[in-house]
Amino acid sequence: MYDKSTTQSARTDLLSALGRIGVRRVFARNKEIYSEDDPAASWFIVLSGTVRICKLLVGGRRHIAEFCYPGDCFGLDRVTQRLYSAEAVGDVVVMRYAHKATELLINDEPHLAQALYAMTLRGLANAQTRILVLGAMRAPERVARFLVEFSERREYCDVLEVPMSRNDIADYLGLTVETVCRVLSSFKSDGVIALSGPHRIELRSPDTLAALCET
Amino acid sequence: MYDKSTTQSARTDLLSALGRIGVRRVFARNKEIYSEDDPAASWFIVLSGTVRICKLLVGGRRHIAEFCYPGDCFGLDRVTQRLYSAEAVGDVVVMRYAHKATELLINDEPHLAQALYAMTLRGLANAQTRILVLGAMRAPERVARFLVEFSERREYCDVLEVPMSRNDIADYLGLTVETVCRVLSSFKSDGVIALSGPHRIELRSPDTLAALCET
DNA sequence: CGCCAGTTTGACCAAGATCAACGCAAGTGG
DNA sequence: CCACTTGCGTTGATCTTGGTCAAACTGGCG
């Protein structure tokens, strides 16, 4: 669907060029990478681990806009202040790039702008899928969708090492912890998944899950 | 929050440059501008009227990803086939730009890429707000949010000329027609809005609505 | 061993979906 | 001009999904 070869090579160019201006940073589980309302002077690429982009709402509720996995970028928005915070789900390694330095780099090598643009478009496509999930799917489909998405973006086999808590998943899917648990339990009793510890989920029937989240 | 002056002037540049490669097209109420699975060879800017970006789902349901108002662009995604269709809500005038010609234009005048990028980032920010609304708000807040958003993006006074049907609004907010009607009726009986005909909504207490959709 | 945070399960409740009926205004054809 | 249709919009009655509240369970750690 996407023009993979082009964006892939542009991406490689981008990464090697960025190597010169980036700083490697490590964050421990649950540490904040940046807070809401922080000045937004830089953006990031995840090297390892999982990052959650989130926001506290009135009434103590929390909303998770996005999970970022290795290779994903976040904080690219052209705002002066952060609208969301970014937190390490488990231990995380990221590269940090100042917006200023990125602009200079792009002035030198304008073709890199295309790679950045492609990353942003990918973010937009992800966001649109999320709008669809949250706007049109019910609890079981949302959870199925989460599992399928995770296995596509994160793992290459059917045993998922899910780093986030049930609470994270719930806030990501617009559900409650209890509902997420119940749906997972029912998937389990239907033999669609197997659970060995809360953070290890085995997809026994990926096709059933995929069918569930067909639009 | 955004760097308005920069993006504004870049935008003006972009529009005048695009004038040379664009085609003006008119669509009547409910006509398709493009369909799902059409080849995606061009993108659009709305000149007048409202466009809905939508998708048919299994079971005859429909999902509206976005409403586009004058000045908004749509169809920018770098896909070969459309993932959503675009339809005229009322009568609509748009400008159509071939992706090919746009690329050539940008090769000539690379600074225009920045304006396109800014438009895409705006789209991403809108999408993130929508994720928040659909993931974390309940029916009355969603409807309030729709009214506030519409008045901010479309009208400069408190009497809204809402071109879309209740069904459109429902599919946009992830609710049913009945729920949208009921919420509007309750707003009306609370004196927050007044209805004179289904498509004319007067905001009698915009502050109440704004307070409702505070995160 | 006891505590604690996170997970799971159950009982109950409420928001919103579904189903059904009615209202209402704009065509349409006689 | 008036019956009749048609497409929306509104309202009410009922049912279902998922939220809320409460309690039990689990594994890790001091």
Side-chain angles (χ1 to χ4, degrees), chain A residues 111-143:
Chain A
H111 68 283
L112 292 179
Q114 187 195 336
L116 261 186
Y117 188 53
M119 289 179 90
T120 307
L121 279 178
R122 189 152 55 99
L124 190 57
N126 284 342
Q128 253 148 11
T129 304
R130 260 175 84 45
I131 290 173
L132 181 64
V133 170
L134 295 174
M137 289 183 170
R138 274 156 328 86
E141 290 101 49
R142 291 189 199 188
V143 175

Side-chain angles (χ1 to χ4, degrees), chain B residues 165-166 178 181-182 185 198-199:
Chain B
S165 70
R166 297 289 188 264
E178 293 93 329
C181 276
R182 273 187 258 269
S185 296
H199 295 287

Side-chain angles (χ1 to χ4, degrees), chain A residues 128-129 132, chain B residues 34-36 53-55 63 65 82-86:
Chain A
Q128 253 148 11
T129 304
L132 181 64
Chain B
Y34 54 74
S35 306
E36 263 179 79
I53 307 301
C54 57
K55 200 181 183 66
H63 169 72
R82 303 291 184 192
L83 300 173
Y84 295 80
S85 66

Side-chain angles (χ1 to χ4, degrees), chain B residues 110-128:
Chain B
H111 68 282
L112 292 180
Q114 188 195 335
L116 261 186
Y117 188 53
M119 289 178 90
T120 307
L121 279 178
R122 190 151 55 99
L124 190 58
N126 285 342
Q128 254 147 12

Side-chain angles (χ1 to χ4, degrees), chain A residues 165-167 178 181-182 185 195 198-199:
Chain A
S165 70
R166 297 288 187 266
N167 229 308
E178 293 94 330
C181 279
R182 271 187 262 269
S185 297
L195 299 169
H199 295 286

